[in-house]
Amino acid sequence: MEIIHVSAECYPVAKAGGLGDVVGAMPKYQNKLGHIAKVVMPMYKTKFLSDNSWDVVHKGRTNIGDYWFDYTIIKEQTNKLGFDLYLVDINGLLDREKVYGYDDDIQRFTGFQVAVVDWMSVWEHHPDIIHVHDHHTGFIPFMIKHCYKYQHLQNIPTVLTIHNAQYQGAMGWEMSYLLPPWDSWKYGMLDWNNNINPLASAIKCAWKVTTVSKSYLEEMKQSANGLEALFEYEKGKCVGILNGIDFHVWDPATDTYIEDHFTVPDVKEGKQKSKRLLCERFNLDEEKPLIVFIGRLVGEKGADILPGAISDSFYYVGRKMSFLILGSGFPEVEDQLNGLQRLSQNDYSVYIGYNEALSHLMYAGADFLLMPSRVEPCGLNQMYAMRYGTIPMVRRTGGLRDTVVDYGEKDGYGIVYNWAAVGDITQGVWRAVDLFEDQEKVGAIRKQMMQLDFSWEHSVQQYLDLYESLLPLPPLEETGEKDGKLHDG
Ligand code: ADP
């Protein structure tokens, strides 16, 4: 099968979160199984762009509303990522440093999608599947069904994967002029709550919809930032497939971001060395259990309750552990977390910002990883942590529920609590401190977790089965049915 992934992010080209990790890994594993998976994404101004060589494969001209633009499709020359990577260059619109966060993001991502479909519409052959990811690519299933210019593509099955339904890209109907001329009888396929909603549109128009864990799909029927009824209505075509993690990038035995590599037999010594580096750098007491948080400092991740939970833990559990936080997000949360440094007794530090290398060192050197998420579609951090022998402390939600079993349960290995609340986290911290005193048990849990299989192989097969179910049946000649051979026995 030939699969085209269209995405706003793809690691290592450009990543803002889990979407980038997934799109950087899934196609690689699909190719390993003998398929042809390619990625198309915007050409941002990234280091990856300047460090690599590119071929121009297509030049075109199209428009969003009355803004006409030339676009160029370039392809990375060496296939170094394990899949063909195409970037869409639209001068002035996409070639910027950040992925998101500009006032004209609506125009940027609409322009990107129009250019992608425009380019595909002149291909001599058609891909078997178009796989779009999140709302930034959510107009594509609509466009190939209902925009007159592109309707000859409408027989190509489309799959939408929802990595995060909190963000939907909604815009007022006055923006409808951005789309290429479309069948206005189909306005309902764009509309949700009197707005154009690209995510809702993709849920309605894609042939299949996947979410990145089974529990998240169930939860969205109850709570999906306004789309609950749509998920309930479309549940027949929705399926939850847990993300995998890229075992080549996230491997404590070879990780290029850490100095002290380790495997299952020497996990204790290996982790200790990385912990020492962290503790020296952030002035933390190496003897205490180290609890870390890595992620966006937003409400979804429960980051706003971290300051209260850390203070309460020191107060109620005692200064028996250290905390190290890496992230950026809401300025108030950043300020509160920075403010806590004044109270540190070699047991608290924070790094505000995005730092890929530091995140790897933290997965390697921490004893526990805290994830008090309010919403967690899949969550990759807990899987990375476990691969590095770091015990996850997670709220029972979404993908966290599907991947972490409390150590109090049979064959369990993590710390699981019910609510994103200061009290629940503090109790989790108390349990972590208690568990850490039993080093034999910690050692056994680490070894058990490192051998859990969260690889992409599993999940990729589920995606392939899903694609397969959308392909036309082979012609009768190939099955022998035409001659009645099968029926005649
Ligand atoms: P999200 O909802 O942010 O996509 P995921 O758990 O799916 O959450 O993925 C988060 C990814 O982003 C992980 O690879 C994590 O290590 C990384 N990450 C998040 N914040 C930071 C940061 N401040 N520095 C480095 N990596 C980060």
Side-chain angles (χ1 to χ4, degrees):
M1 271 181 282
E2 180 171 339
I3 308 123
I4 309 297
H5 292 274
V6 191
S7 171
E9 299 178 35
C10 173
Y11 178 84
V13 191
K15 162 178 164 183
L19 170 64
D21 284 342
V22 171
V23 178
M26 193 200 300
K28 189 160 63 183
Y29 287 85
Q30 290 176 334
N31 284 341
K32 275 193 188 161
L33 293 181
H35 300 278
I36 303 169
K38 306 175 173 184
V39 172
V40 188
M41 66 181 294
M43 193 200 87
Y44 308 112
K45 222 191 244 172
T46 59
K47 187 166 176 316
F48 191 92
L49 177 69
S50 46
D51 284 356
N52 289 282
S53 306
W54 306 85
D55 287 325
V56 172
V57 294
H58 179 73
K59 277 179 175 290
R61 182 170 175 76
T62 187
N63 64 306
I64 44 173
D66 48 17
Y67 174 64
W68 282 84
F69 59 87
D70 294 314
Y71 67 91
T72 308
I73 311 286
I74 58 173
K75 177 172 175 275
E76 193 272 319
Q77 279 180 351
T78 62
N79 201 285
K80 69 194 304 188
L81 300 182
F83 50 82
D84 284 345
L85 171 72
Y86 297 89
L87 305 185
V88 179
D89 177 21
I90 306 177
N91 266 336
L93 209 59
L94 298 175
D95 51 347
R96 305 190 194 159
E97 268 153 30
K98 285 190 299 176
V99 177
Y100 316 113
Y102 298 100
D103 290 343
D104 58 351
D105 276 356
I106 289 177
Q107 285 81 352
R108 293 173 71 226
F109 288 108
T110 309
F112 164 62
Q113 295 177 80
V114 172
V116 170
V117 175
D118 198 72
W119 170 46
M120 276 185 197
S121 75
V122 298
W123 285 17
E124 278 167 21
H125 74 289
H126 289 160
D128 295 300
I129 301 284
I130 300 176
H131 191 151
V132 301
H133 298 265
D134 276 351
H135 76 83
H136 329 95
T137 54
F139 281 140
I140 290 178
F142 175 86
M143 278 198 277
I144 68 176
K145 265 188 174 162
H146 304 302
C147 287
Y148 300 116
K149 199 174 165 191
Y150 303 122
Q151 274 176 329
H152 60 287
L153 300 174
Q154 65 180 297
N155 289 331
I156 306 175
T158 48
V159 174
L160 162 73
T161 292
I162 301 175
H163 301 258
N164 194 335
Q166 293 301 109
Y167 306 98
Q168 301 169 4
M171 60 191 83
W173 268 101
E174 69 280 4
M175 306 301 262
S176 64
Y177 75 96
L178 292 176
L179 289 169
W182 49 278
D183 178 356
S184 55
W185 285 101
K186 302 294 181 200
Y187 76 94
M189 291 293 161
L190 288 171
D191 184 79
W192 192 254
N193 282 342
N194 301 322
N195 277 317
I196 296 180
N197 184 316
L199 189 68
S201 169
I203 296 170
K204 294 176 187 187
C205 297
W207 294 28
K208 285 280 181 189
V209 176
T210 73
T211 60
V212 289
S213 70
K214 284 192 179 13
S215 289
Y216 186 52
L217 178 56
E218 285 313 306
E219 288 166 10
M220 279 199 293
K221 292 176 200 156
Q222 313 296 326
S223 163
N225 203 7
L227 298 185
E228 300 78 11
L230 185 58
F231 278 105
E232 183 58 40
Y233 184 74
E234 296 284 11
K235 64 183 172 202
K237 68 173 176 189
C238 297
V239 45
I241 303 178
L242 191 71
N243 284 334
I245 60 173
D246 192 336
F247 272 24
H248 300 295
V249 177
W250 298 94
D251 182 354
T254 54
D255 190 324
T256 49
Y257 287 110
I258 62 173
E259 289 170 22
D260 303 295
H261 295 125
F262 57 91
T263 53
V264 173
D266 57 356
V267 51
K268 185 168 186 209
E269 300 72 27
K271 283 186 77 65
Q272 193 60 39
K273 288 182 191 158
S274 290
K275 183 175 178 181
R276 183 161 302 145
L277 289 179
L278 281 174
C279 291
E280 281 168 8
R281 178 163 165 194
F282 290 97
N283 204 13
L284 301 170
D285 183 345
E286 196 185 315
E287 296 304 314
K288 295 178 180 171
L290 176 60
I291 302 175
V292 302
F293 173 96
I294 301 168
R296 293 180 291 119
L297 300 177
V298 297
E300 237 182 284
K301 301 285 177 193
D304 50 312
I305 45 178
L306 282 176
I310 292 168
S311 312
D312 270 25
S313 295
F314 284 142
Y315 187 78
Y316 290 110
V317 186
R319 305 205 78 118
K320 297 178 183 167
M321 67 317 244
S322 304
F323 291 96
L324 177 60
I325 313 290
L326 164 63
S328 60
F330 286 152
E332 317 84 80
V333 179
E334 293 181 356
D335 286 350
Q336 286 176 26
L337 288 168
N338 270 330
L340 275 181
Q341 302 223 74
R342 288 196 304 272
L343 307 175
S344 171
Q345 299 174 14
N346 298 343
D347 50 14
Y348 173 81
S349 192
V350 59
Y351 179 108
I352 299 294
Y354 189 94
N355 188 326
E356 190 75 28
L358 176 58
S359 76
H360 285 244
L361 185 62
M362 287 169 71
Y363 290 118
D367 297 300
F368 297 92
L369 175 95
L370 188 57
M371 292 182 79
S373 308
R374 290 195 176 84
V375 183
E376 197 58 83
C378 173
L380 296 169
N381 302 20
Q382 82 280 13
M383 296 197 261
Y384 297 147
M386 291 191 268
R387 182 111 169 95
Y388 288 69
T390 299
I391 300 174
M393 302 168 61
V394 305
R395 183 189 162 216
R396 200 186 307 274
T397 186
L400 300 175
R401 179 197 291 267
D402 294 355
T403 51
V404 183
V405 182
D406 191 276
Y407 79 88
E409 291 176 35
K410 187 171 176 293
D411 299 330
Y413 40 81
I415 294 179
V416 184
Y417 42 91
N418 282 333
W419 301 108
V422 167
D424 276 42
I425 301 175
T426 309
Q427 202 212 2
V429 170
W430 174 78
R431 291 184 70 206
V433 169
D434 192 48
L435 175 62
F436 195 73
E437 280 171 14
D438 186 349
Q439 276 299 303
E440 208 173 307
K441 178 138 191 139
V442 168
I445 289 179
R446 281 176 176 162
K447 289 182 176 160
Q448 181 191 354
M449 292 188 307
M450 287 177 75
Q451 293 174 83
L452 293 173
D453 186 2
F454 291 115
S455 67
W456 264 110
E457 269 90 4
H458 277 320
S459 323
V460 155
Q461 192 54 51
Q462 294 178 59
Y463 278 108
L464 293 173
D465 293 344
L466 183 89
Y467 300 153
E468 203 88 50
S469 72
L470 301 177
L471 297 184
L473 293 170
L476 290 180
E477 296 93 282
E478 286 178 22
T479 63
E481 280 191 33
K482 196 181 174 197
D483 310 327
K485 277 183 206 151
L486 292 182
H487 301 296
D488 295 346

